[in-house]
PDB file of all heavy atoms in Angstrom:
ATOM      1  N   ALA A   1       0.853  -1.226  -0.020  1.00  0.00           N
ATOM      2  CA  ALA A   1       0.000   0.017  -0.055  1.00  0.00           C
ATOM      3  C   ALA A   1       0.848   1.257  -0.042  1.00  0.00           C
ATOM      4  O   ALA A   1       0.666   2.223  -0.621  1.00  0.00           O
ATOM      5  CB  ALA A   1      -0.828  -0.092   1.243  1.00  0.00           C
ATOM      6  N   ILE A   2       1.904   1.278   0.763  1.00  0.00           N
ATOM      7  CA  ILE A   2       2.848   2.407   0.835  1.00  0.00           C
ATOM      8  C   ILE A   2       3.512   2.657  -0.513  1.00  0.00           C
ATOM      9  O   ILE A   2       3.630   3.754  -1.083  1.00  0.00           O
ATOM     10  CB  ILE A   2       3.971   2.277   1.881  1.00  0.00           C
ATOM     11  CG1 ILE A   2       3.085   2.386   3.265  1.00  0.00           C
ATOM     12  CG2 ILE A   2       5.044   3.313   1.837  1.00  0.00           C
ATOM     13  CD1 ILE A   2       4.010   1.934   4.506  1.00  0.00           C
ATOM     14  N   ALA A   3       4.026   1.563  -1.181  1.00  0.00           N
ATOM     15  CA  ALA A   3       4.586   1.590  -2.447  1.00  0.00           C
ATOM     16  C   ALA A   3       3.651   2.065  -3.529  1.00  0.00           C
ATOM     17  O   ALA A   3       4.049   2.836  -4.424  1.00  0.00           O
ATOM     18  CB  ALA A   3       5.303   0.296  -2.862  1.00  0.00           C
ATOM     19  N   ARG A   4       2.444   1.603  -3.436  1.00  0.00           N
ATOM     20  CA  ARG A   4       1.549   2.061  -4.415  1.00  0.00           C
ATOM     21  C   ARG A   4       1.107   3.518  -4.265  1.00  0.00           C
ATOM     22  O   ARG A   4       0.994   4.201  -5.228  1.00  0.00           O
ATOM     23  CB  ARG A   4       0.259   1.134  -4.338  1.00  0.00           C
ATOM     24  CG  ARG A   4      -0.799   1.427  -5.338  1.00  0.00           C
ATOM     25  CD  ARG A   4      -2.026   0.505  -5.094  1.00  0.00           C
ATOM     26  NE  ARG A   4      -3.013   0.895  -5.954  1.00  0.00           N
ATOM     27  CZ  ARG A   4      -3.582   0.255  -7.071  1.00  0.00           C
ATOM     28  NH1 ARG A   4      -2.885  -0.935  -7.275  1.00  0.00           N
ATOM     29  NH2 ARG A   4      -4.529   0.617  -7.781  1.00  0.00           N
ATOM     30  N   ALA A   5       1.004   4.010  -3.053  1.00  0.00           N
ATOM     31  CA  ALA A   5       0.728   5.378  -2.766  1.00  0.00           C
ATOM     32  C   ALA A   5       1.921   6.292  -3.286  1.00  0.00           C
ATOM     33  O   ALA A   5       1.617   7.396  -3.846  1.00  0.00           O
ATOM     34  CB  ALA A   5       0.415   5.550  -1.338  1.00  0.00           C
ATOM     35  N   ALA A   6       2.986   5.835  -3.101  1.00  0.00           N
ATOM     36  CA  ALA A   6       4.269   6.641  -3.532  1.00  0.00           C
ATOM     37  C   ALA A   6       4.258   6.685  -5.086  1.00  0.00           C
ATOM     38  O   ALA A   6       4.577   7.752  -5.581  1.00  0.00           O
ATOM     39  CB  ALA A   6       5.510   5.988  -3.077  1.00  0.00           C
ATOM     40  N   TRP A   7       3.948   5.608  -5.749  1.00  0.00           N
ATOM     41  CA  TRP A   7       3.989   5.563  -7.116  1.00  0.00           C
ATOM     42  C   TRP A   7       2.949   6.476  -7.659  1.00  0.00           C
ATOM     43  O   TRP A   7       3.117   7.130  -8.653  1.00  0.00           O
ATOM     44  CB  TRP A   7       3.797   4.045  -7.626  1.00  0.00           C
ATOM     45  CG  TRP A   7       3.872   4.043  -9.160  1.00  0.00           C
ATOM     46  CD1 TRP A   7       2.778   3.977  -9.934  1.00  0.00           C
ATOM     47  CD2 TRP A   7       4.940   3.827  -9.939  1.00  0.00           C
ATOM     48  NE1 TRP A   7       3.274   3.878 -11.303  1.00  0.00           N
ATOM     49  CE2 TRP A   7       4.625   3.736 -11.295  1.00  0.00           C
ATOM     50  CE3 TRP A   7       6.339   3.797  -9.663  1.00  0.00           C
ATOM     51  CZ2 TRP A   7       5.533   3.722 -12.325  1.00  0.00           C
ATOM     52  CZ3 TRP A   7       7.281   3.774 -10.737  1.00  0.00           C
ATOM     53  CH2 TRP A   7       6.865   3.656 -11.966  1.00  0.00           C
ATOM     54  N   ARG A   8       1.725   6.376  -7.132  1.00  0.00           N
ATOM     55  CA  ARG A   8       0.551   7.173  -7.578  1.00  0.00           C
ATOM     56  C   ARG A   8       0.728   8.702  -7.332  1.00  0.00           C
ATOM     57  O   ARG A   8       0.255   9.593  -7.951  1.00  0.00           O
ATOM     58  CB  ARG A   8      -0.676   6.738  -7.000  1.00  0.00           C
ATOM     59  CG  ARG A   8      -1.290   5.510  -7.575  1.00  0.00           C
ATOM     60  CD  ARG A   8      -2.621   5.175  -7.048  1.00  0.00           C
ATOM     61  NE  ARG A   8      -3.144   4.015  -7.858  1.00  0.00           N
ATOM     62  CZ  ARG A   8      -4.398   3.843  -7.859  1.00  0.00           C
ATOM     63  NH1 ARG A   8      -5.267   4.516  -7.033  1.00  0.00           N
ATOM     64  NH2 ARG A   8      -4.953   2.839  -8.578  1.00  0.00           N
ATOM     65  N   SER A   9       1.555   8.995  -6.290  1.00  0.00           N
ATOM     66  CA  SER A   9       1.867  10.452  -5.964  1.00  0.00           C
ATOM     67  C   SER A   9       3.014  10.986  -6.871  1.00  0.00           C
ATOM     68  O   SER A   9       3.231  12.147  -6.771  1.00  0.00           O
ATOM     69  CB  SER A   9       2.213  10.583  -4.511  1.00  0.00           C
ATOM     70  OG  SER A   9       3.483   9.961  -4.193  1.00  0.00           O
ATOM     71  N   GLY A  10       3.506  10.188  -7.705  1.00  0.00           N
ATOM     72  CA  GLY A  10       4.567  10.522  -8.616  1.00  0.00           C
ATOM     73  C   GLY A  10       6.043  10.407  -8.258  1.00  0.00           C
ATOM     74  O   GLY A  10       6.914  10.824  -8.968  1.00  0.00           O
ATOM     75  N   THR A  11       6.108   9.748  -7.177  1.00  0.00           N
ATOM     76  CA  THR A  11       7.483   9.413  -6.667  1.00  0.00           C
ATOM     77  C   THR A  11       8.037   8.181  -7.539  1.00  0.00           C
ATOM     78  O   THR A  11       7.518   7.172  -7.444  1.00  0.00           O
ATOM     79  CB  THR A  11       7.603   9.050  -5.123  1.00  0.00           C
ATOM     80  OG1 THR A  11       6.978  10.227  -4.469  1.00  0.00           O
ATOM     81  CG2 THR A  11       8.917   8.912  -4.669  1.00  0.00           C
ATOM     82  N   ARG A  12       9.137   8.528  -8.178  1.00  0.00           N
ATOM     83  CA  ARG A  12       9.673   7.481  -8.967  1.00  0.00           C
ATOM     84  C   ARG A  12      11.027   7.022  -8.407  1.00  0.00           C
ATOM     85  O   ARG A  12      11.780   7.724  -7.697  1.00  0.00           O
ATOM     86  CB  ARG A  12       9.953   7.794 -10.362  1.00  0.00           C
ATOM     87  CG  ARG A  12       8.591   8.174 -11.149  1.00  0.00           C
ATOM     88  CD  ARG A  12       7.787   7.055 -11.335  1.00  0.00           C
ATOM     89  NE  ARG A  12       6.597   7.333 -12.159  1.00  0.00           N
ATOM     90  CZ  ARG A  12       5.334   7.383 -11.646  1.00  0.00           C
ATOM     91  NH1 ARG A  12       5.134   7.211 -10.355  1.00  0.00           N
ATOM     92  NH2 ARG A  12       4.339   7.739 -12.304  1.00  0.00           N
ATOM     93  N   PRO A  13      11.626   5.672  -8.620  1.00  0.00           N
ATOM     94  CA  PRO A  13      12.734   5.236  -8.031  1.00  0.00           C
ATOM     95  C   PRO A  13      13.927   5.994  -8.690  1.00  0.00           C
ATOM     96  O   PRO A  13      13.858   6.358  -9.787  1.00  0.00           O
ATOM     97  CB  PRO A  13      12.891   3.792  -8.383  1.00  0.00           C
ATOM     98  CG  PRO A  13      11.575   3.404  -8.881  1.00  0.00           C
ATOM     99  CD  PRO A  13      10.742   4.574  -9.270  1.00  0.00           C
ATOM    100  N   GLU A  14      15.001   6.228  -7.992  1.00  0.00           N
ATOM    101  CA  GLU A  14      16.133   6.941  -8.372  1.00  0.00           C
ATOM    102  C   GLU A  14      16.877   5.856  -9.291  1.00  0.00           C
ATOM    103  O   GLU A  14      17.016   4.639  -8.907  1.00  0.00           O
ATOM    104  CB  GLU A  14      17.018   7.385  -7.280  1.00  0.00           C
ATOM    105  CG  GLU A  14      16.444   8.625  -6.529  1.00  0.00           C
ATOM    106  CD  GLU A  14      17.336   9.009  -5.480  1.00  0.00           C
ATOM    107  OE1 GLU A  14      18.568   8.613  -5.378  1.00  0.00           O
ATOM    108  OE2 GLU A  14      16.867   9.806  -4.643  1.00  0.00           O
ATOM    109  N   PRO A  15      17.315   6.287 -10.505  1.00  0.00           N
ATOM    110  CA  PRO A  15      18.200   5.364 -11.245  1.00  0.00           C
ATOM    111  C   PRO A  15      19.499   4.997 -10.491  1.00  0.00           C
ATOM    112  O   PRO A  15      20.107   5.966 -10.005  1.00  0.00           O
ATOM    113  CB  PRO A  15      18.433   6.057 -12.539  1.00  0.00           C
ATOM    114  CG  PRO A  15      18.167   7.566 -12.299  1.00  0.00           C
ATOM    115  CD  PRO A  15      17.204   7.609 -11.034  1.00  0.00           C
ATOM    116  N   CYS A  16      19.893   3.861 -10.506  1.00  0.00           N
ATOM    117  CA  CYS A  16      21.023   3.508  -9.804  1.00  0.00           C
ATOM    118  C   CYS A  16      21.972   2.633 -10.625  1.00  0.00           C
ATOM    119  O   CYS A  16      22.829   1.945 -10.129  1.00  0.00           O
ATOM    120  CB  CYS A  16      20.763   2.764  -8.468  1.00  0.00           C
ATOM    121  SG  CYS A  16      19.790   1.245  -8.758  1.00  0.00           S
ATOM    122  N   VAL A  17      21.825   2.786 -11.913  1.00  0.00           N
ATOM    123  CA  VAL A  17      22.664   2.041 -12.916  1.00  0.00           C
ATOM    124  C   VAL A  17      23.867   2.798 -13.242  1.00  0.00           C
ATOM    125  O   VAL A  17      23.833   3.972 -13.578  1.00  0.00           O
ATOM    126  CB  VAL A  17      21.943   1.664 -14.227  1.00  0.00           C
ATOM    127  CG1 VAL A  17      22.860   0.917 -15.167  1.00  0.00           C
ATOM    128  CG2 VAL A  17      20.653   0.815 -13.910  1.00  0.00           C
ATOM    129  N   ILE A  18      25.004   2.149 -13.026  1.00  0.00           N
ATOM    130  CA  ILE A  18      26.294   2.770 -13.340  1.00  0.00           C
ATOM    131  C   ILE A  18      26.927   2.116 -14.585  1.00  0.00           C
ATOM    132  O   ILE A  18      27.205   0.908 -14.492  1.00  0.00           O
ATOM    133  CB  ILE A  18      27.189   2.695 -12.218  1.00  0.00           C
ATOM    134  CG1 ILE A  18      26.642   3.467 -10.941  1.00  0.00           C
ATOM    135  CG2 ILE A  18      28.643   3.367 -12.539  1.00  0.00           C
ATOM    136  CD1 ILE A  18      27.439   3.407  -9.723  1.00  0.00           C
ATOM    137  N   ASP A  19      27.205   2.904 -15.632  1.00  0.00           N
ATOM    138  CA  ASP A  19      27.790   2.265 -16.803  1.00  0.00           C
ATOM    139  C   ASP A  19      29.198   2.574 -16.774  1.00  0.00           C
ATOM    140  O   ASP A  19      29.607   3.768 -17.106  1.00  0.00           O
ATOM    141  CB  ASP A  19      27.076   2.891 -18.087  1.00  0.00           C
ATOM    142  CG  ASP A  19      27.446   2.181 -19.262  1.00  0.00           C
ATOM    143  OD1 ASP A  19      28.378   1.204 -19.292  1.00  0.00           O
ATOM    144  OD2 ASP A  19      27.065   2.507 -20.400  1.00  0.00           O
ATOM    145  N   ALA A  20      30.036   1.600 -16.283  1.00  0.00           N
ATOM    146  CA  ALA A  20      31.515   1.775 -16.277  1.00  0.00           C
ATOM    147  C   ALA A  20      32.115   1.919 -17.515  1.00  0.00           C
ATOM    148  O   ALA A  20      33.121   2.668 -17.622  1.00  0.00           O
ATOM    149  CB  ALA A  20      32.131   0.646 -15.445  1.00  0.00           C
ATOM    150  N   LEU A  21      31.601   1.200 -18.580  1.00  0.00           N
ATOM    151  CA  LEU A  21      32.272   1.344 -19.763  1.00  0.00           C
ATOM    152  C   LEU A  21      32.046   2.721 -20.378  1.00  0.00           C
ATOM    153  O   LEU A  21      33.000   3.273 -20.928  1.00  0.00           O
ATOM    154  CB  LEU A  21      31.642   0.281 -20.683  1.00  0.00           C
ATOM    155  CG  LEU A  21      32.283   0.236 -22.214  1.00  0.00           C
ATOM    156  CD1 LEU A  21      33.690  -0.128 -22.127  1.00  0.00           C
ATOM    157  CD2 LEU A  21      31.277  -0.678 -23.058  1.00  0.00           C
ATOM    158  N   GLU A  22      30.981   3.278 -20.252  1.00  0.00           N
ATOM    159  CA  GLU A  22      30.732   4.711 -20.751  1.00  0.00           C
ATOM    160  C   GLU A  22      31.646   5.695 -19.915  1.00  0.00           C
ATOM    161  O   GLU A  22      32.196   6.446 -20.663  1.00  0.00           O
ATOM    162  CB  GLU A  22      29.311   5.054 -20.570  1.00  0.00           C
ATOM    163  CG  GLU A  22      29.011   6.493 -21.083  1.00  0.00           C
ATOM    164  CD  GLU A  22      27.528   6.933 -20.829  1.00  0.00           C
ATOM    165  OE1 GLU A  22      26.688   5.990 -20.645  1.00  0.00           O
ATOM    166  OE2 GLU A  22      27.267   8.114 -20.818  1.00  0.00           O
ATOM    167  N   GLU A  23      31.817   5.417 -18.719  1.00  0.00           N
ATOM    168  CA  GLU A  23      32.759   6.317 -18.002  1.00  0.00           C
ATOM    169  C   GLU A  23      34.183   6.161 -18.402  1.00  0.00           C
ATOM    170  O   GLU A  23      34.904   7.141 -18.505  1.00  0.00           O
ATOM    171  CB  GLU A  23      32.615   6.066 -16.411  1.00  0.00           C
ATOM    172  CG  GLU A  23      31.306   6.524 -15.854  1.00  0.00           C
ATOM    173  CD  GLU A  23      31.227   6.199 -14.466  1.00  0.00           C
ATOM    174  OE1 GLU A  23      32.120   5.715 -13.842  1.00  0.00           O
ATOM    175  OE2 GLU A  23      30.163   6.429 -13.757  1.00  0.00           O
ATOM    176  N   ASN A  24      34.543   4.966 -18.707  1.00  0.00           N
ATOM    177  CA  ASN A  24      35.898   4.693 -19.120  1.00  0.00           C
ATOM    178  C   ASN A  24      36.104   5.406 -20.607  1.00  0.00           C
ATOM    179  O   ASN A  24      37.194   5.999 -20.775  1.00  0.00           O
ATOM    180  CB  ASN A  24      36.254   3.162 -19.194  1.00  0.00           C
ATOM    181  CG  ASN A  24      36.431   2.611 -17.838  1.00  0.00           C
ATOM    182  OD1 ASN A  24      36.804   3.336 -16.942  1.00  0.00           O
ATOM    183  ND2 ASN A  24      36.208   1.339 -17.807  1.00  0.00           N
ATOM    184  N   GLU A  25      35.154   5.256 -21.461  1.00  0.00           N
ATOM    185  CA  GLU A  25      35.292   5.837 -22.810  1.00  0.00           C
ATOM    186  C   GLU A  25      35.376   7.287 -22.648  1.00  0.00           C
ATOM    187  O   GLU A  25      36.091   8.093 -23.385  1.00  0.00           O
ATOM    188  CB  GLU A  25      34.234   5.377 -23.630  1.00  0.00           C
ATOM    189  CG  GLU A  25      34.236   3.885 -24.042  1.00  0.00           C
ATOM    190  CD  GLU A  25      33.010   3.428 -24.831  1.00  0.00           C
ATOM    191  OE1 GLU A  25      32.024   4.326 -25.019  1.00  0.00           O
ATOM    192  OE2 GLU A  25      33.070   2.315 -25.218  1.00  0.00           O
ATOM    193  N   ARG A  26      34.498   7.997 -21.685  1.00  0.00           N
ATOM    194  CA  ARG A  26      34.594   9.365 -21.615  1.00  0.00           C
ATOM    195  C   ARG A  26      35.874   9.911 -21.012  1.00  0.00           C
ATOM    196  O   ARG A  26      36.517  10.759 -21.535  1.00  0.00           O
ATOM    197  CB  ARG A  26      33.409   9.808 -20.607  1.00  0.00           C
ATOM    198  CG  ARG A  26      33.216  11.316 -20.617  1.00  0.00           C
ATOM    199  CD  ARG A  26      32.049  11.697 -19.662  1.00  0.00           C
ATOM    200  NE  ARG A  26      31.157  10.664 -19.335  1.00  0.00           N
ATOM    201  CZ  ARG A  26      30.750  10.270 -18.191  1.00  0.00           C
ATOM    202  NH1 ARG A  26      31.198  10.924 -17.085  1.00  0.00           N
ATOM    203  NH2 ARG A  26      29.951   9.259 -17.915  1.00  0.00           N
ATOM    204  N   ASP A  27      36.283   9.099 -19.967  1.00  0.00           N
ATOM    205  CA  ASP A  27      37.715   9.394 -19.507  1.00  0.00           C
ATOM    206  C   ASP A  27      38.845   9.377 -20.509  1.00  0.00           C
ATOM    207  O   ASP A  27      39.599  10.213 -20.591  1.00  0.00           O
ATOM    208  CB  ASP A  27      38.025   8.587 -18.273  1.00  0.00           C
ATOM    209  CG  ASP A  27      37.125   8.857 -17.053  1.00  0.00           C
ATOM    210  OD1 ASP A  27      36.641   9.982 -17.059  1.00  0.00           O
ATOM    211  OD2 ASP A  27      37.093   8.011 -16.131  1.00  0.00           O
ATOM    212  N   ASN A  28      38.719   8.354 -21.412  1.00  0.00           N
ATOM    213  CA  ASN A  28      39.840   8.088 -22.414  1.00  0.00           C
ATOM    214  C   ASN A  28      39.587   9.216 -23.481  1.00  0.00           C
ATOM    215  O   ASN A  28      40.759   9.726 -23.963  1.00  0.00           O
ATOM    216  CB  ASN A  28      39.690   6.783 -22.985  1.00  0.00           C
ATOM    217  CG  ASN A  28      40.086   5.647 -22.089  1.00  0.00           C
ATOM    218  OD1 ASN A  28      40.792   5.901 -21.155  1.00  0.00           O
ATOM    219  ND2 ASN A  28      39.620   4.427 -22.359  1.00  0.00           N
ATOM    220  N   ALA A  29      38.476   9.671 -23.770  1.00  0.00           N
ATOM    221  CA  ALA A  29      38.322  10.754 -24.729  1.00  0.00           C
ATOM    222  C   ALA A  29      38.802  12.017 -24.205  1.00  0.00           C
ATOM    223  O   ALA A  29      39.555  12.846 -24.873  1.00  0.00           O
ATOM    224  CB  ALA A  29      36.804  10.893 -25.159  1.00  0.00           C
ATOM    225  N   LEU A  30      38.622  12.386 -22.876  1.00  0.00           N
ATOM    226  CA  LEU A  30      39.209  13.543 -22.260  1.00  0.00           C
ATOM    227  C   LEU A  30      40.719  13.532 -22.263  1.00  0.00           C
ATOM    228  O   LEU A  30      41.374  14.473 -22.484  1.00  0.00           O
ATOM    229  CB  LEU A  30      38.486  13.609 -20.908  1.00  0.00           C
ATOM    230  CG  LEU A  30      37.036  14.122 -20.828  1.00  0.00           C
ATOM    231  CD1 LEU A  30      36.595  14.110 -19.371  1.00  0.00           C
ATOM    232  CD2 LEU A  30      36.800  15.489 -21.474  1.00  0.00           C
ATOM    233  N   LYS A  31      41.153  12.291 -21.873  1.00  0.00           N
ATOM    234  CA  LYS A  31      42.653  12.224 -21.895  1.00  0.00           C
ATOM    235  C   LYS A  31      43.351  12.423 -23.195  1.00  0.00           C
ATOM    236  O   LYS A  31      44.355  13.104 -23.383  1.00  0.00           O
ATOM    237  CB  LYS A  31      43.101  10.866 -21.254  1.00  0.00           C
ATOM    238  CG  LYS A  31      42.831  10.685 -19.794  1.00  0.00           C
ATOM    239  CD  LYS A  31      43.216   9.333 -19.314  1.00  0.00           C
ATOM    240  CE  LYS A  31      42.884   8.997 -17.949  1.00  0.00           C
ATOM    241  NZ  LYS A  31      43.161   7.833 -17.450  1.00  0.00           N
TER     242      LYS A  31
END
């Protein structure tokens, strides 16, 4: 019930996916 109320009120989960490959490519491009 609490999760459903949070979802209906517009509260969405925070994204927690970390793309290490993208970060490495970005760092290599900056270097």
Side-chain angles (χ1 to χ4, degrees):
I2 292 170
R4 184 177 170 111
W7 183 265
R8 285 189 167 194
S9 70
T11 305
R12 300 293 185 250
E14 292 181 12
C16 59
V17 176
I18 298 172
D19 190 0
L21 180 62
E22 181 182 341
E23 289 180 5
N24 287 338
E25 288 175 355
R26 188 176 346 124
D27 291 342
N28 290 337
L30 290 174
K31 287 178 185 177

